[in-house]
Amino acid sequence: MNTLDAPRPSQFSTGSTPLRSAYNCVFAAMYNHLVQDHRLSLRIESLYITKSLLQLWQFDGLLCPFLPEEMVRSFMRGTGLRMTFPDVGNVESALAFARDHLARRRVLSVAVNLRYDVLEPLTFDNDFWHLQLMVEPLVDGGFRMYDQFEDKFFVYTEDRMRLAIDTGFNRRISGQFTPFMVIEVDDLEGTAAKLAEAGETNAQVQAALRDYPLKHNLDHAVQSVRHLRRYATERPSAEVMYRVMNYHLIIQKSREALIDALVVRGLAPPEFTATLVERWSQVRALLGVILMRRDLGEFDRLEDVYRQLIELEEGVFRSLGECSP
């Protein structure tokens, strides 16, 4: 079987609610569990349109968006939802757990090491919060999967799945092996009502835009660049390059996701904000070039590039937030 062109599983055929991709796999996983397993109704953007969405953070030189796990947990408060990580014992019992779960429900989130990814395998270990969706056990012991960032179906063999889940991240809870994330609902009817109340509104969107954290984002962008200056004398590894570029792409995708929500609501014309996404794309490309050239003067100029971009972003979003719904 061609693992890249595997057909959609029968339970996701025409007439069912399609799986959704998102700029971050944690948001997509929660959405797909709620909609597929629990038949709840919500818009995926209601998970991430908050005041935290536009925050930037510097972490060990990496400029990154607000941690999605914290945003999801914030969304769940008061809704009757629980994010759980069941202890399944070991790798072999994990495969049995997955088959049993998929016999009763439609999807299961699994945290994998991207060294063993099928679509875009890496040359180094990278197992931090990479959730893929299991959608169907196969007769040969493998699993049909859905990549929630690439929006593609593919297949893991049983042996490859063993390697992919046998990671330090899945043993982060002392004494436990927790490769799966499950969203549980205590009171389905009550949660459905609370989700309807908690769904984001135009007012929420505009509040997020008006409260753009300009100083915070400038400070963290500058801290990030100053930390990256070490690569003027030290060649960045493939892992460092991947993390820097991947986090930057997620920042870009988060802006694109917000803009899409604004356009749908009539709060912004596509041409007005498309420039902003393109600027983030250009700066990401420039960052890659600078890390390859390793010229100290270019790192200094990068600080000004980020300042200009963040000030532009603040102006764009604040002006949209001040518009009438």
PDB file of all heavy atoms in Angstrom, residues 258-271 273:
ATOM      1  N   LEU A 258      -5.986  33.491  12.530  1.00  0.00           N
ATOM      2  CA  LEU A 258      -6.763  34.610  13.044  1.00  0.00           C
ATOM      3  C   LEU A 258      -7.343  35.429  11.898  1.00  0.00           C
ATOM      4  O   LEU A 258      -8.514  35.828  11.923  1.00  0.00           O
ATOM      5  CB  LEU A 258      -5.904  35.488  13.940  1.00  0.00           C
ATOM      6  CG  LEU A 258      -6.566  36.769  14.481  1.00  0.00           C
ATOM      7  CD1 LEU A 258      -7.847  36.445  15.237  1.00  0.00           C
ATOM      8  CD2 LEU A 258      -5.603  37.543  15.357  1.00  0.00           C
ATOM      9  N   ILE A 259      -6.541  35.689  10.889  1.00  0.00           N
ATOM     10  CA  ILE A 259      -6.997  36.480   9.745  1.00  0.00           C
ATOM     11  C   ILE A 259      -8.154  35.781   9.038  1.00  0.00           C
ATOM     12  O   ILE A 259      -9.147  36.416   8.645  1.00  0.00           O
ATOM     13  CB  ILE A 259      -5.825  36.744   8.781  1.00  0.00           C
ATOM     14  CG1 ILE A 259      -4.882  37.769   9.408  1.00  0.00           C
ATOM     15  CG2 ILE A 259      -6.326  37.258   7.422  1.00  0.00           C
ATOM     16  CD1 ILE A 259      -3.543  37.874   8.716  1.00  0.00           C
ATOM     17  N   ASP A 260      -8.050  34.468   8.878  1.00  0.00           N
ATOM     18  CA  ASP A 260      -9.147  33.722   8.257  1.00  0.00           C
ATOM     19  C   ASP A 260     -10.444  33.911   9.036  1.00  0.00           C
ATOM     20  O   ASP A 260     -11.522  34.076   8.450  1.00  0.00           O
ATOM     21  CB  ASP A 260      -8.799  32.229   8.198  1.00  0.00           C
ATOM     22  CG  ASP A 260      -7.745  31.914   7.154  1.00  0.00           C
ATOM     23  OD1 ASP A 260      -7.484  32.773   6.296  1.00  0.00           O
ATOM     24  OD2 ASP A 260      -7.175  30.805   7.203  1.00  0.00           O
ATOM     25  N   ALA A 261     -10.342  33.888  10.378  1.00  0.00           N
ATOM     26  CA  ALA A 261     -11.527  34.082  11.214  1.00  0.00           C
ATOM     27  C   ALA A 261     -12.083  35.493  11.049  1.00  0.00           C
ATOM     28  O   ALA A 261     -13.301  35.702  11.035  1.00  0.00           O
ATOM     29  CB  ALA A 261     -11.181  33.816  12.680  1.00  0.00           C
ATOM     30  N   LEU A 262     -11.202  36.485  10.913  1.00  0.00           N
ATOM     31  CA  LEU A 262     -11.646  37.864  10.720  1.00  0.00           C
ATOM     32  C   LEU A 262     -12.363  38.029   9.383  1.00  0.00           C
ATOM     33  O   LEU A 262     -13.401  38.698   9.294  1.00  0.00           O
ATOM     34  CB  LEU A 262     -10.444  38.808  10.776  1.00  0.00           C
ATOM     35  CG  LEU A 262      -9.691  38.913  12.101  1.00  0.00           C
ATOM     36  CD1 LEU A 262      -8.444  39.761  11.935  1.00  0.00           C
ATOM     37  CD2 LEU A 262     -10.591  39.481  13.188  1.00  0.00           C
ATOM     38  N   VAL A 263     -11.821  37.416   8.345  1.00  0.00           N
ATOM     39  CA  VAL A 263     -12.420  37.533   7.010  1.00  0.00           C
ATOM     40  C   VAL A 263     -13.804  36.902   7.004  1.00  0.00           C
ATOM     41  O   VAL A 263     -14.763  37.475   6.470  1.00  0.00           O
ATOM     42  CB  VAL A 263     -11.501  36.882   5.959  1.00  0.00           C
ATOM     43  CG1 VAL A 263     -12.208  36.808   4.603  1.00  0.00           C
ATOM     44  CG2 VAL A 263     -10.199  37.662   5.831  1.00  0.00           C
ATOM     45  N   VAL A 264     -13.927  35.716   7.619  1.00  0.00           N
ATOM     46  CA  VAL A 264     -15.222  35.026   7.673  1.00  0.00           C
ATOM     47  C   VAL A 264     -16.267  35.890   8.362  1.00  0.00           C
ATOM     48  O   VAL A 264     -17.437  35.926   7.966  1.00  0.00           O
ATOM     49  CB  VAL A 264     -15.072  33.671   8.399  1.00  0.00           C
ATOM     50  CG1 VAL A 264     -16.433  33.086   8.750  1.00  0.00           C
ATOM     51  CG2 VAL A 264     -14.290  32.693   7.532  1.00  0.00           C
ATOM     52  N   ARG A 265     -15.861  36.633   9.380  1.00  0.00           N
ATOM     53  CA  ARG A 265     -16.799  37.476  10.126  1.00  0.00           C
ATOM     54  C   ARG A 265     -17.008  38.846   9.498  1.00  0.00           C
ATOM     55  O   ARG A 265     -17.739  39.668  10.030  1.00  0.00           O
ATOM     56  CB  ARG A 265     -16.292  37.645  11.567  1.00  0.00           C
ATOM     57  CG  ARG A 265     -16.457  36.398  12.391  1.00  0.00           C
ATOM     58  CD  ARG A 265     -15.533  36.380  13.583  1.00  0.00           C
ATOM     59  NE  ARG A 265     -15.690  35.143  14.315  1.00  0.00           N
ATOM     60  CZ  ARG A 265     -15.234  33.972  13.907  1.00  0.00           C
ATOM     61  NH1 ARG A 265     -14.572  33.885  12.771  1.00  0.00           N
ATOM     62  NH2 ARG A 265     -15.432  32.885  14.614  1.00  0.00           N
ATOM     63  N   GLY A 266     -16.352  39.112   8.409  1.00  0.00           N
ATOM     64  CA  GLY A 266     -16.491  40.410   7.775  1.00  0.00           C
ATOM     65  C   GLY A 266     -15.760  41.512   8.514  1.00  0.00           C
ATOM     66  O   GLY A 266     -16.037  42.699   8.299  1.00  0.00           O
ATOM     67  N   LEU A 267     -14.815  41.133   9.385  1.00  0.00           N
ATOM     68  CA  LEU A 267     -14.081  42.124  10.168  1.00  0.00           C
ATOM     69  C   LEU A 267     -12.808  42.591   9.468  1.00  0.00           C
ATOM     70  O   LEU A 267     -12.146  43.510   9.943  1.00  0.00           O
ATOM     71  CB  LEU A 267     -13.727  41.555  11.538  1.00  0.00           C
ATOM     72  CG  LEU A 267     -14.914  41.216  12.449  1.00  0.00           C
ATOM     73  CD1 LEU A 267     -14.426  40.541  13.718  1.00  0.00           C
ATOM     74  CD2 LEU A 267     -15.713  42.464  12.781  1.00  0.00           C
ATOM     75  N   ALA A 268     -12.459  41.939   8.372  1.00  0.00           N
ATOM     76  CA  ALA A 268     -11.261  42.342   7.636  1.00  0.00           C
ATOM     77  C   ALA A 268     -11.351  41.841   6.199  1.00  0.00           C
ATOM     78  O   ALA A 268     -11.789  40.717   5.973  1.00  0.00           O
ATOM     79  CB  ALA A 268     -10.014  41.765   8.296  1.00  0.00           C
ATOM     80  N   PRO A 269     -10.961  42.672   5.233  1.00  0.00           N
ATOM     81  CA  PRO A 269     -10.874  42.204   3.850  1.00  0.00           C
ATOM     82  C   PRO A 269      -9.597  41.391   3.666  1.00  0.00           C
ATOM     83  O   PRO A 269      -8.570  41.713   4.264  1.00  0.00           O
ATOM     84  CB  PRO A 269     -10.817  43.509   3.044  1.00  0.00           C
ATOM     85  CG  PRO A 269     -10.199  44.502   3.974  1.00  0.00           C
ATOM     86  CD  PRO A 269     -10.643  44.111   5.366  1.00  0.00           C
ATOM     87  N   PRO A 270      -9.619  40.327   2.866  1.00  0.00           N
ATOM     88  CA  PRO A 270      -8.433  39.475   2.707  1.00  0.00           C
ATOM     89  C   PRO A 270      -7.194  40.253   2.276  1.00  0.00           C
ATOM     90  O   PRO A 270      -6.098  40.014   2.784  1.00  0.00           O
ATOM     91  CB  PRO A 270      -8.867  38.472   1.630  1.00  0.00           C
ATOM     92  CG  PRO A 270     -10.347  38.465   1.676  1.00  0.00           C
ATOM     93  CD  PRO A 270     -10.757  39.858   2.072  1.00  0.00           C
ATOM     94  N   GLU A 271      -7.369  41.207   1.351  1.00  0.00           N
ATOM     95  CA  GLU A 271      -6.200  41.911   0.821  1.00  0.00           C
ATOM     96  C   GLU A 271      -5.542  42.821   1.872  1.00  0.00           C
ATOM     97  O   GLU A 271      -4.349  43.126   1.777  1.00  0.00           O
ATOM     98  CB  GLU A 271      -6.577  42.755  -0.399  1.00  0.00           C
ATOM     99  CG  GLU A 271      -7.592  43.856  -0.142  1.00  0.00           C
ATOM    100  CD  GLU A 271      -9.034  43.393  -0.228  1.00  0.00           C
ATOM    101  OE1 GLU A 271      -9.252  42.161  -0.244  1.00  0.00           O
ATOM    102  OE2 GLU A 271      -9.929  44.239  -0.254  1.00  0.00           O
ATOM    103  N   THR A 273      -5.023  42.169   5.099  1.00  0.00           N
ATOM    104  CA  THR A 273      -4.185  41.453   6.052  1.00  0.00           C
ATOM    105  C   THR A 273      -3.267  40.416   5.409  1.00  0.00           C
ATOM    106  O   THR A 273      -2.381  39.888   6.073  1.00  0.00           O
ATOM    107  CB  THR A 273      -5.067  40.749   7.100  1.00  0.00           C
ATOM    108  OG1 THR A 273      -6.114  40.054   6.417  1.00  0.00           O
ATOM    109  CG2 THR A 273      -5.672  41.753   8.056  1.00  0.00           C
TER     110      THR A 273
END
